Short mmCIF file of all heavy atoms in Angstrom, two decimals:
data_model
loop_
_atom_site.label_atom_id
_atom_site.label_comp_id
_atom_site.label_asym_id
_atom_site.label_seq_id
_atom_site.Cartn_x
_atom_site.Cartn_y
_atom_site.Cartn_z
N GLU A 28 20.95 -33.16 -109.03
CA GLU A 28 21.02 -34.37 -108.23
C GLU A 28 19.64 -34.72 -107.81
O GLU A 28 18.87 -33.91 -107.29
CB GLU A 28 21.86 -33.99 -106.98
CG GLU A 28 21.83 -35.05 -105.93
CD GLU A 28 22.73 -34.62 -104.74
OE1 GLU A 28 23.72 -34.15 -104.96
OE2 GLU A 28 22.21 -34.89 -103.61
N PHE A 29 19.19 -36.04 -108.01
CA PHE A 29 17.93 -36.50 -107.69
C PHE A 29 17.77 -36.76 -106.11
O PHE A 29 18.59 -37.39 -105.56
CB PHE A 29 17.63 -37.78 -108.47
CG PHE A 29 16.37 -38.47 -108.12
CD1 PHE A 29 15.10 -37.90 -108.56
CD2 PHE A 29 16.32 -39.56 -107.33
CE1 PHE A 29 13.99 -38.45 -108.26
CE2 PHE A 29 15.04 -40.15 -106.98
CZ PHE A 29 13.91 -39.58 -107.49
N MET A 30 16.73 -36.33 -105.61
CA MET A 30 16.41 -36.58 -104.25
C MET A 30 15.13 -37.46 -104.15
O MET A 30 14.08 -37.14 -104.74
CB MET A 30 16.13 -35.34 -103.50
CG MET A 30 16.85 -35.24 -102.14
SD MET A 30 16.83 -33.56 -101.47
CE MET A 30 15.26 -33.58 -100.64
N SER A 31 15.20 -38.62 -103.45
CA SER A 31 14.06 -39.50 -103.32
C SER A 31 12.98 -38.71 -102.48
O SER A 31 13.26 -37.86 -101.74
CB SER A 31 14.43 -40.78 -102.74
OG SER A 31 14.69 -40.62 -101.32
N THR A 32 11.76 -39.26 -102.56
CA THR A 32 10.65 -38.67 -101.73
C THR A 32 10.95 -38.84 -100.25
O THR A 32 10.75 -37.89 -99.51
CB THR A 32 9.43 -39.38 -102.10
OG1 THR A 32 9.08 -39.32 -103.50
CG2 THR A 32 8.16 -38.86 -101.29
N MET A 33 11.55 -39.99 -99.90
CA MET A 33 11.85 -40.22 -98.52
C MET A 33 13.04 -39.20 -98.08
O MET A 33 12.88 -38.61 -96.97
CB MET A 33 12.54 -41.56 -98.32
CG MET A 33 12.67 -41.98 -96.86
SD MET A 33 13.07 -43.77 -96.66
CE MET A 33 14.87 -43.71 -97.08
N ASP A 34 13.98 -38.99 -98.92
CA ASP A 34 15.09 -37.98 -98.55
C ASP A 34 14.43 -36.56 -98.38
O ASP A 34 14.82 -35.74 -97.52
CB ASP A 34 16.18 -37.99 -99.63
CG ASP A 34 17.07 -39.16 -99.56
OD1 ASP A 34 17.05 -39.92 -98.52
OD2 ASP A 34 17.69 -39.41 -100.49
N ARG A 35 13.56 -36.21 -99.38
CA ARG A 35 12.90 -34.86 -99.36
C ARG A 35 12.10 -34.78 -98.08
O ARG A 35 12.23 -33.72 -97.50
CB ARG A 35 12.09 -34.68 -100.59
CG ARG A 35 11.56 -33.30 -100.74
CD ARG A 35 10.87 -33.15 -102.09
NE ARG A 35 11.85 -33.06 -103.17
CZ ARG A 35 11.91 -34.03 -104.21
NH1 ARG A 35 11.13 -34.99 -104.16
NH2 ARG A 35 12.88 -33.88 -105.09
N THR A 36 11.35 -35.81 -97.65
CA THR A 36 10.56 -35.70 -96.52
C THR A 36 11.53 -35.60 -95.20
O THR A 36 11.23 -34.76 -94.35
CB THR A 36 9.69 -36.95 -96.35
OG1 THR A 36 8.82 -37.13 -97.47
CG2 THR A 36 8.90 -36.98 -95.10
N LYS A 37 12.49 -36.35 -95.25
CA LYS A 37 13.52 -36.30 -94.12
C LYS A 37 14.17 -34.88 -94.01
O LYS A 37 14.22 -34.34 -92.94
CB LYS A 37 14.58 -37.31 -94.33
CG LYS A 37 15.48 -37.60 -93.12
CD LYS A 37 16.37 -38.72 -93.39
CE LYS A 37 17.49 -38.83 -92.28
NZ LYS A 37 18.55 -39.72 -92.66
N THR A 38 14.50 -34.33 -95.12
CA THR A 38 15.13 -33.07 -95.13
C THR A 38 14.10 -31.99 -94.77
O THR A 38 14.43 -31.03 -94.00
CB THR A 38 15.59 -32.72 -96.58
OG1 THR A 38 16.62 -33.65 -96.92
CG2 THR A 38 16.18 -31.29 -96.65
N SER A 39 12.88 -32.14 -95.19
CA SER A 39 11.78 -31.10 -94.81
C SER A 39 11.53 -31.23 -93.31
O SER A 39 11.37 -30.22 -92.56
CB SER A 39 10.44 -31.47 -95.54
OG SER A 39 10.62 -31.23 -96.87
N GLN A 40 11.54 -32.40 -92.73
CA GLN A 40 11.33 -32.55 -91.28
C GLN A 40 12.51 -31.94 -90.54
O GLN A 40 12.25 -31.26 -89.48
CB GLN A 40 11.28 -34.06 -90.95
CG GLN A 40 9.92 -34.66 -91.36
CD GLN A 40 9.87 -36.12 -91.32
OE1 GLN A 40 10.91 -36.89 -91.12
NE2 GLN A 40 8.63 -36.66 -91.36
N LYS A 41 13.67 -32.14 -90.99
CA LYS A 41 14.88 -31.52 -90.34
C LYS A 41 14.80 -30.01 -90.42
O LYS A 41 15.17 -29.26 -89.43
CB LYS A 41 16.21 -32.13 -90.97
CG LYS A 41 17.46 -31.59 -90.35
CD LYS A 41 17.54 -31.93 -88.90
CE LYS A 41 18.93 -31.58 -88.35
NZ LYS A 41 19.05 -31.96 -86.92
N ALA A 42 14.40 -29.53 -91.59
CA ALA A 42 14.27 -28.03 -91.80
C ALA A 42 13.30 -27.50 -90.78
O ALA A 42 13.51 -26.44 -90.14
CB ALA A 42 13.84 -27.68 -93.17
N LYS A 43 12.14 -28.22 -90.54
CA LYS A 43 11.10 -27.76 -89.55
C LYS A 43 11.70 -27.76 -88.15
O LYS A 43 11.44 -26.84 -87.36
CB LYS A 43 9.90 -28.72 -89.63
CG LYS A 43 8.73 -28.34 -88.77
CD LYS A 43 7.98 -27.17 -89.27
CE LYS A 43 6.71 -27.01 -88.49
NZ LYS A 43 6.65 -25.71 -87.84
N VAL A 44 12.47 -28.74 -87.84
CA VAL A 44 13.11 -28.77 -86.42
C VAL A 44 14.07 -27.66 -86.30
O VAL A 44 14.05 -26.92 -85.32
CB VAL A 44 13.93 -30.08 -86.27
CG1 VAL A 44 14.82 -30.05 -85.05
CG2 VAL A 44 12.99 -31.26 -86.19
N ILE A 45 14.89 -27.32 -87.36
CA ILE A 45 15.75 -26.12 -87.33
C ILE A 45 14.92 -24.85 -87.20
O ILE A 45 15.21 -23.98 -86.41
CB ILE A 45 16.68 -26.11 -88.52
CG1 ILE A 45 17.66 -27.26 -88.53
CG2 ILE A 45 17.37 -24.75 -88.66
CD1 ILE A 45 18.50 -27.44 -89.78
N TRP A 46 13.93 -24.71 -88.06
CA TRP A 46 13.05 -23.50 -88.05
C TRP A 46 12.45 -23.33 -86.66
O TRP A 46 12.49 -22.18 -86.10
CB TRP A 46 11.91 -23.67 -89.07
CG TRP A 46 11.02 -22.49 -89.09
CD1 TRP A 46 9.71 -22.40 -88.41
CD2 TRP A 46 11.10 -21.30 -89.94
NE1 TRP A 46 9.16 -21.23 -88.77
CE2 TRP A 46 10.03 -20.48 -89.58
CE3 TRP A 46 12.06 -20.78 -90.77
CZ2 TRP A 46 9.84 -19.20 -90.15
CZ3 TRP A 46 11.94 -19.54 -91.33
CH2 TRP A 46 10.77 -18.82 -91.04
N ASP A 47 11.91 -24.38 -86.03
CA ASP A 47 11.18 -24.28 -84.74
C ASP A 47 12.18 -23.90 -83.64
O ASP A 47 11.78 -23.33 -82.60
CB ASP A 47 10.49 -25.62 -84.35
CG ASP A 47 9.28 -25.76 -85.30
OD1 ASP A 47 8.81 -24.83 -85.89
OD2 ASP A 47 8.75 -26.93 -85.31
N GLY A 48 13.47 -24.22 -83.90
CA GLY A 48 14.52 -23.86 -82.86
C GLY A 48 15.16 -22.47 -83.00
O GLY A 48 15.94 -22.10 -82.28
N MET A 49 14.68 -21.78 -84.03
CA MET A 49 15.24 -20.43 -84.29
C MET A 49 14.41 -19.33 -83.62
O MET A 49 13.21 -19.57 -83.43
CB MET A 49 15.18 -20.15 -85.79
CG MET A 49 16.22 -20.87 -86.58
SD MET A 49 16.29 -20.12 -88.23
CE MET A 49 15.87 -21.50 -89.22
N ASP A 50 15.01 -18.25 -83.27
CA ASP A 50 14.29 -17.19 -82.81
C ASP A 50 13.76 -16.36 -84.01
O ASP A 50 14.11 -16.64 -85.06
CB ASP A 50 15.14 -16.28 -81.77
CG ASP A 50 16.36 -15.62 -82.36
OD1 ASP A 50 16.31 -15.39 -83.61
OD2 ASP A 50 17.37 -15.44 -81.69
N LYS A 51 12.99 -15.27 -83.65
CA LYS A 51 12.40 -14.45 -84.72
C LYS A 51 13.44 -13.79 -85.59
O LYS A 51 13.22 -13.69 -86.85
CB LYS A 51 11.45 -13.43 -84.12
CG LYS A 51 10.14 -13.97 -83.62
CD LYS A 51 9.22 -14.38 -84.82
CE LYS A 51 7.92 -15.07 -84.41
NZ LYS A 51 7.37 -15.82 -85.35
N ASN A 52 14.54 -13.41 -85.08
CA ASN A 52 15.63 -12.73 -85.88
C ASN A 52 16.18 -13.84 -86.81
O ASN A 52 16.42 -13.47 -88.05
CB ASN A 52 16.73 -12.12 -84.93
CG ASN A 52 16.37 -10.97 -84.27
OD1 ASN A 52 15.44 -10.21 -84.66
ND2 ASN A 52 16.83 -10.73 -83.00
N GLU A 53 16.41 -14.94 -86.42
CA GLU A 53 17.01 -16.00 -87.28
C GLU A 53 16.03 -16.32 -88.35
O GLU A 53 16.30 -16.56 -89.52
CB GLU A 53 17.43 -17.25 -86.50
CG GLU A 53 18.56 -17.05 -85.64
CD GLU A 53 18.85 -18.29 -84.77
OE1 GLU A 53 17.89 -18.84 -84.14
OE2 GLU A 53 20.00 -18.65 -84.68
N GLN A 54 14.70 -16.41 -88.05
CA GLN A 54 13.62 -16.70 -89.02
C GLN A 54 13.53 -15.62 -90.00
O GLN A 54 13.40 -15.88 -91.20
CB GLN A 54 12.28 -16.95 -88.34
CG GLN A 54 12.22 -18.31 -87.55
CD GLN A 54 10.98 -18.46 -86.79
OE1 GLN A 54 10.13 -17.61 -86.67
NE2 GLN A 54 10.75 -19.64 -86.20
N THR A 55 13.59 -14.35 -89.51
CA THR A 55 13.66 -13.20 -90.47
C THR A 55 14.82 -13.32 -91.42
O THR A 55 14.78 -13.05 -92.58
CB THR A 55 13.67 -11.88 -89.73
OG1 THR A 55 12.49 -11.84 -88.92
CG2 THR A 55 13.69 -10.72 -90.57
N GLY A 56 16.00 -13.70 -90.91
CA GLY A 56 17.17 -13.89 -91.71
C GLY A 56 16.96 -14.82 -92.86
O GLY A 56 17.37 -14.61 -94.03
N ILE A 57 16.30 -15.92 -92.65
CA ILE A 57 15.95 -16.90 -93.70
C ILE A 57 15.15 -16.21 -94.72
O ILE A 57 15.44 -16.47 -95.90
CB ILE A 57 15.09 -18.14 -93.11
CG1 ILE A 57 15.90 -18.87 -92.04
CG2 ILE A 57 14.62 -19.05 -94.23
CD1 ILE A 57 16.98 -19.60 -92.50
N ARG A 58 14.25 -15.35 -94.45
CA ARG A 58 13.39 -14.60 -95.47
C ARG A 58 14.24 -13.79 -96.35
O ARG A 58 13.79 -13.60 -97.49
CB ARG A 58 12.47 -13.77 -94.75
CG ARG A 58 11.34 -14.57 -93.87
CD ARG A 58 10.38 -13.55 -93.12
NE ARG A 58 9.78 -14.14 -92.04
CZ ARG A 58 8.89 -15.18 -92.12
NH1 ARG A 58 8.52 -15.66 -93.29
NH2 ARG A 58 8.32 -15.66 -90.98
N PHE A 59 15.44 -13.40 -95.85
CA PHE A 59 16.36 -12.68 -96.76
C PHE A 59 17.43 -13.49 -97.32
O PHE A 59 18.37 -12.99 -97.92
CB PHE A 59 16.96 -11.51 -95.94
CG PHE A 59 15.92 -10.41 -95.67
CD1 PHE A 59 15.20 -10.44 -94.58
CD2 PHE A 59 15.74 -9.37 -96.54
CE1 PHE A 59 14.28 -9.38 -94.23
CE2 PHE A 59 14.75 -8.40 -96.30
CZ PHE A 59 14.05 -8.41 -95.16
N GLY A 60 17.41 -14.84 -97.04
CA GLY A 60 18.42 -15.75 -97.63
C GLY A 60 19.62 -15.88 -96.77
O GLY A 60 20.68 -16.29 -97.31
N LEU A 61 19.53 -15.60 -95.49
CA LEU A 61 20.64 -15.76 -94.59
C LEU A 61 20.29 -16.99 -93.76
O LEU A 61 19.30 -17.08 -93.06
CB LEU A 61 20.80 -14.51 -93.55
CG LEU A 61 20.93 -13.21 -94.39
CD1 LEU A 61 20.84 -12.07 -93.40
CD2 LEU A 61 22.33 -13.13 -95.03
N PHE A 62 21.20 -17.90 -93.68
CA PHE A 62 21.05 -19.12 -92.98
C PHE A 62 22.02 -19.29 -91.78
O PHE A 62 23.10 -18.87 -91.85
CB PHE A 62 21.26 -20.36 -93.99
CG PHE A 62 20.34 -20.23 -95.18
CD1 PHE A 62 20.81 -19.59 -96.30
CD2 PHE A 62 19.01 -20.70 -95.06
CE1 PHE A 62 19.88 -19.50 -97.41
CE2 PHE A 62 18.15 -20.58 -96.11
CZ PHE A 62 18.55 -19.91 -97.27
N PRO A 63 21.46 -19.89 -90.68
CA PRO A 63 22.25 -19.99 -89.45
C PRO A 63 23.45 -21.00 -89.64
O PRO A 63 23.15 -22.18 -89.75
CB PRO A 63 21.28 -20.47 -88.39
CG PRO A 63 20.21 -21.18 -89.18
CD PRO A 63 20.11 -20.49 -90.56
N HIS A 64 24.73 -20.44 -89.70
CA HIS A 64 25.84 -21.24 -90.20
C HIS A 64 26.04 -22.47 -89.23
O HIS A 64 26.13 -23.51 -89.75
CB HIS A 64 27.04 -20.30 -90.14
CG HIS A 64 28.27 -20.98 -90.56
ND1 HIS A 64 28.57 -21.37 -91.86
CD2 HIS A 64 29.34 -21.42 -89.86
CE1 HIS A 64 29.73 -21.95 -91.97
NE2 HIS A 64 30.27 -22.01 -90.73
N GLY A 65 25.97 -22.23 -87.99
CA GLY A 65 26.22 -23.37 -87.06
C GLY A 65 25.16 -24.41 -87.13
O GLY A 65 25.55 -25.65 -87.21
N LYS A 66 23.92 -24.09 -87.29
CA LYS A 66 22.85 -25.12 -87.37
C LYS A 66 23.00 -25.87 -88.70
O LYS A 66 22.72 -27.04 -88.72
CB LYS A 66 21.52 -24.49 -87.21
CG LYS A 66 21.22 -23.96 -85.85
CD LYS A 66 19.92 -23.22 -85.70
CE LYS A 66 19.68 -22.89 -84.24
NZ LYS A 66 19.01 -21.62 -84.01
N MET A 67 23.38 -25.17 -89.77
CA MET A 67 23.47 -25.74 -91.12
C MET A 67 24.66 -26.65 -91.10
O MET A 67 24.59 -27.81 -91.65
CB MET A 67 23.67 -24.64 -92.20
CG MET A 67 22.41 -23.71 -92.31
SD MET A 67 20.91 -24.58 -92.77
CE MET A 67 21.20 -24.72 -94.56
N GLN A 68 25.77 -26.29 -90.44
CA GLN A 68 26.99 -27.19 -90.34
C GLN A 68 26.67 -28.43 -89.55
O GLN A 68 27.04 -29.54 -90.06
CB GLN A 68 28.07 -26.41 -89.69
CG GLN A 68 29.04 -25.65 -90.59
CD GLN A 68 30.26 -25.12 -89.98
OE1 GLN A 68 30.34 -24.95 -88.79
NE2 GLN A 68 31.34 -25.10 -90.78
N GLU A 69 25.94 -28.27 -88.47
CA GLU A 69 25.61 -29.48 -87.71
C GLU A 69 24.78 -30.42 -88.51
O GLU A 69 24.98 -31.62 -88.52
CB GLU A 69 24.86 -29.04 -86.41
CG GLU A 69 25.74 -28.51 -85.33
CD GLU A 69 26.81 -29.44 -84.91
OE1 GLU A 69 26.55 -30.68 -84.55
OE2 GLU A 69 28.00 -29.01 -84.81
N ALA A 70 23.77 -29.90 -89.23
CA ALA A 70 22.94 -30.81 -90.12
C ALA A 70 23.76 -31.43 -91.16
O ALA A 70 23.54 -32.63 -91.43
CB ALA A 70 21.75 -29.95 -90.67
N GLU A 71 24.68 -30.67 -91.74
CA GLU A 71 25.51 -31.30 -92.72
C GLU A 71 26.27 -32.39 -92.20
O GLU A 71 26.57 -33.49 -92.79
CB GLU A 71 26.43 -30.31 -93.44
CG GLU A 71 25.64 -29.43 -94.35
CD GLU A 71 26.46 -28.35 -95.08
OE1 GLU A 71 27.55 -28.11 -94.71
OE2 GLU A 71 25.88 -27.55 -96.00
N LYS A 72 26.87 -32.32 -90.89
CA LYS A 72 27.56 -33.32 -90.28
C LYS A 72 26.73 -34.58 -90.12
O LYS A 72 27.22 -35.66 -90.02
CB LYS A 72 28.22 -32.88 -88.90
CG LYS A 72 29.33 -31.94 -89.03
CD LYS A 72 29.80 -31.52 -87.65
CE LYS A 72 30.83 -30.34 -87.77
NZ LYS A 72 31.14 -29.75 -86.46
N GLU A 73 25.43 -34.40 -89.93
CA GLU A 73 24.49 -35.55 -89.72
C GLU A 73 24.17 -36.13 -91.10
O GLU A 73 23.41 -37.05 -91.24
CB GLU A 73 23.18 -34.99 -89.05
CG GLU A 73 23.37 -34.56 -87.67
CD GLU A 73 22.15 -33.97 -87.18
OE1 GLU A 73 20.99 -34.20 -87.62
OE2 GLU A 73 22.26 -33.00 -86.20
N GLY A 74 24.66 -35.63 -92.23
CA GLY A 74 24.44 -36.08 -93.50
C GLY A 74 23.46 -35.46 -94.41
O GLY A 74 23.14 -35.89 -95.48
N TYR A 75 22.96 -34.32 -93.98
CA TYR A 75 22.00 -33.56 -94.70
C TYR A 75 22.73 -32.68 -95.72
O TYR A 75 23.87 -32.25 -95.51
CB TYR A 75 21.12 -32.63 -93.90
CG TYR A 75 20.15 -33.42 -93.09
CD1 TYR A 75 20.50 -33.79 -91.78
CD2 TYR A 75 18.88 -33.78 -93.55
CE1 TYR A 75 19.67 -34.52 -91.00
CE2 TYR A 75 18.06 -34.56 -92.72
CZ TYR A 75 18.41 -34.88 -91.44
OH TYR A 75 17.53 -35.65 -90.68
N SER A 76 22.07 -32.39 -96.86
CA SER A 76 22.69 -31.51 -97.92
C SER A 76 22.34 -30.06 -97.52
O SER A 76 21.17 -29.68 -97.28
CB SER A 76 22.05 -31.82 -99.22
OG SER A 76 22.24 -30.65 -100.06
N GLY A 77 23.34 -29.20 -97.38
CA GLY A 77 23.07 -27.80 -97.00
C GLY A 77 22.21 -27.12 -97.96
O GLY A 77 21.25 -26.36 -97.62
N ARG A 78 22.36 -27.39 -99.21
CA ARG A 78 21.56 -26.79 -100.29
C ARG A 78 20.12 -27.20 -100.18
O ARG A 78 19.13 -26.34 -100.21
CB ARG A 78 22.02 -27.17 -101.65
CG ARG A 78 21.21 -26.62 -102.82
CD ARG A 78 21.68 -27.19 -104.11
NE ARG A 78 20.81 -26.80 -105.18
CZ ARG A 78 19.55 -27.33 -105.43
NH1 ARG A 78 19.14 -28.34 -104.67
NH2 ARG A 78 18.82 -26.86 -106.43
N ASP A 79 19.87 -28.52 -99.99
CA ASP A 79 18.54 -29.00 -99.88
C ASP A 79 17.82 -28.43 -98.59
O ASP A 79 16.62 -28.16 -98.58
CB ASP A 79 18.49 -30.49 -99.81
CG ASP A 79 18.95 -31.06 -101.19
OD1 ASP A 79 18.82 -30.38 -102.16
OD2 ASP A 79 19.32 -32.28 -101.27
N LEU A 80 18.59 -28.30 -97.52
CA LEU A 80 18.04 -27.76 -96.23
C LEU A 80 17.75 -26.24 -96.43
O LEU A 80 16.68 -25.83 -95.95
CB LEU A 80 19.06 -27.88 -95.13
CG LEU A 80 18.95 -29.18 -94.23
CD1 LEU A 80 20.00 -29.07 -93.18
CD2 LEU A 80 17.61 -29.23 -93.57
N ALA A 81 18.52 -25.58 -97.17
CA ALA A 81 18.30 -24.13 -97.44
C ALA A 81 16.96 -24.01 -98.26
O ALA A 81 16.15 -23.18 -97.90
CB ALA A 81 19.53 -23.61 -98.18
N VAL A 82 16.83 -24.80 -99.23
CA VAL A 82 15.57 -24.79 -100.01
C VAL A 82 14.41 -25.06 -99.10
O VAL A 82 13.34 -24.43 -99.20
CB VAL A 82 15.66 -25.68 -101.21
CG1 VAL A 82 14.34 -25.81 -101.95
CG2 VAL A 82 16.73 -25.23 -102.22
N ALA A 83 14.51 -26.16 -98.29
CA ALA A 83 13.38 -26.53 -97.37
C ALA A 83 13.10 -25.39 -96.44
O ALA A 83 11.91 -25.12 -96.09
CB ALA A 83 13.75 -27.82 -96.61
N LEU A 84 14.10 -24.71 -95.89
CA LEU A 84 13.89 -23.62 -95.01
C LEU A 84 13.22 -22.44 -95.69
O LEU A 84 12.34 -21.78 -95.15
CB LEU A 84 15.18 -23.17 -94.32
CG LEU A 84 15.77 -24.01 -93.25
CD1 LEU A 84 17.22 -23.75 -92.92
CD2 LEU A 84 14.86 -23.95 -92.02
N MET A 85 13.61 -22.12 -96.90
CA MET A 85 12.92 -21.08 -97.65
C MET A 85 11.49 -21.44 -97.90
O MET A 85 10.65 -20.60 -97.84
CB MET A 85 13.67 -20.81 -99.01
CG MET A 85 14.99 -20.17 -98.76
SD MET A 85 15.84 -19.64 -100.27
CE MET A 85 16.19 -21.15 -101.00
N ASP A 86 11.21 -22.77 -98.15
CA ASP A 86 9.81 -23.23 -98.26
C ASP A 86 8.99 -22.87 -96.97
O ASP A 86 7.87 -22.40 -97.08
CB ASP A 86 9.74 -24.65 -98.70
CG ASP A 86 10.07 -24.95 -100.05
OD1 ASP A 86 10.22 -24.06 -100.91
OD2 ASP A 86 10.33 -26.16 -100.32
N ILE A 87 9.53 -23.15 -95.83
CA ILE A 87 8.91 -22.98 -94.66
C ILE A 87 8.66 -21.50 -94.40
O ILE A 87 7.62 -21.06 -94.03
CB ILE A 87 9.72 -23.55 -93.48
CG1 ILE A 87 9.72 -25.10 -93.48
CG2 ILE A 87 9.23 -23.01 -92.10
CD1 ILE A 87 10.71 -25.76 -92.49
N ALA A 88 9.74 -20.63 -94.75
CA ALA A 88 9.56 -19.20 -94.63
C ALA A 88 8.50 -18.68 -95.57
O ALA A 88 7.68 -17.78 -95.12
CB ALA A 88 10.93 -18.56 -94.90
N SER A 89 8.40 -19.19 -96.77
CA SER A 89 7.40 -18.77 -97.69
C SER A 89 5.98 -19.09 -97.22
O SER A 89 4.99 -18.40 -97.36
CB SER A 89 7.56 -19.48 -99.02
OG SER A 89 8.74 -19.09 -99.63
N ASN A 90 5.88 -20.25 -96.45
CA ASN A 90 4.55 -20.61 -95.93
C ASN A 90 4.24 -19.91 -94.54
O ASN A 90 3.14 -20.10 -94.11
CB ASN A 90 4.51 -22.16 -95.68
CG ASN A 90 4.55 -22.86 -97.01
OD1 ASN A 90 4.00 -22.41 -98.04
ND2 ASN A 90 5.13 -24.09 -96.97
N ASN A 91 5.19 -19.22 -94.01
CA ASN A 91 5.05 -18.48 -92.79
C ASN A 91 5.36 -17.04 -92.87
O ASN A 91 6.03 -16.38 -92.11
CB ASN A 91 5.93 -19.09 -91.71
CG ASN A 91 5.50 -20.44 -91.25
OD1 ASN A 91 4.61 -20.68 -90.44
ND2 ASN A 91 6.10 -21.50 -91.74
N GLY A 92 4.74 -16.44 -93.90
CA GLY A 92 4.83 -14.93 -94.02
C GLY A 92 5.54 -14.58 -95.28
O GLY A 92 5.58 -13.40 -95.61
N GLY A 93 6.22 -15.44 -95.98
CA GLY A 93 6.87 -15.13 -97.20
C GLY A 93 8.32 -14.79 -97.15
O GLY A 93 8.92 -14.56 -96.09
N MET A 94 8.89 -14.93 -98.33
CA MET A 94 10.32 -14.54 -98.53
C MET A 94 10.48 -13.16 -98.98
O MET A 94 9.55 -12.52 -99.50
CB MET A 94 10.96 -15.49 -99.67
CG MET A 94 11.13 -16.92 -99.26
SD MET A 94 12.38 -17.22 -98.00
CE MET A 94 13.86 -16.63 -98.88
N ARG A 95 11.58 -12.53 -98.64
CA ARG A 95 11.88 -11.11 -99.09
C ARG A 95 13.12 -11.29 -100.03
O ARG A 95 14.01 -12.07 -99.79
CB ARG A 95 12.18 -10.29 -97.93
CG ARG A 95 11.31 -10.30 -96.72
CD ARG A 95 9.97 -9.62 -97.07
NE ARG A 95 9.10 -9.55 -95.87
CZ ARG A 95 8.12 -10.39 -95.66
NH1 ARG A 95 7.87 -11.43 -96.35
NH2 ARG A 95 7.38 -10.24 -94.53
N ALA A 96 13.12 -10.42 -100.98
CA ALA A 96 14.26 -10.46 -101.91
C ALA A 96 14.94 -9.13 -102.03
O ALA A 96 14.41 -8.14 -101.67
CB ALA A 96 13.70 -10.88 -103.30
#
């Protein structure tokens, strides 16, 4: 599925808002591929793609200490 640059920017901005609203435990969860269900559901209700948000959150985690596998 193609995402426009505007959509990608909007999704990245939403991911940053979600990231900034998380505590350290939730941020650590992202590093292991665990996503905050409630926050993701709320964003999907606002029209965001959960998959695209997950990717954007992993990008933020990568830039803030890295992902763990």
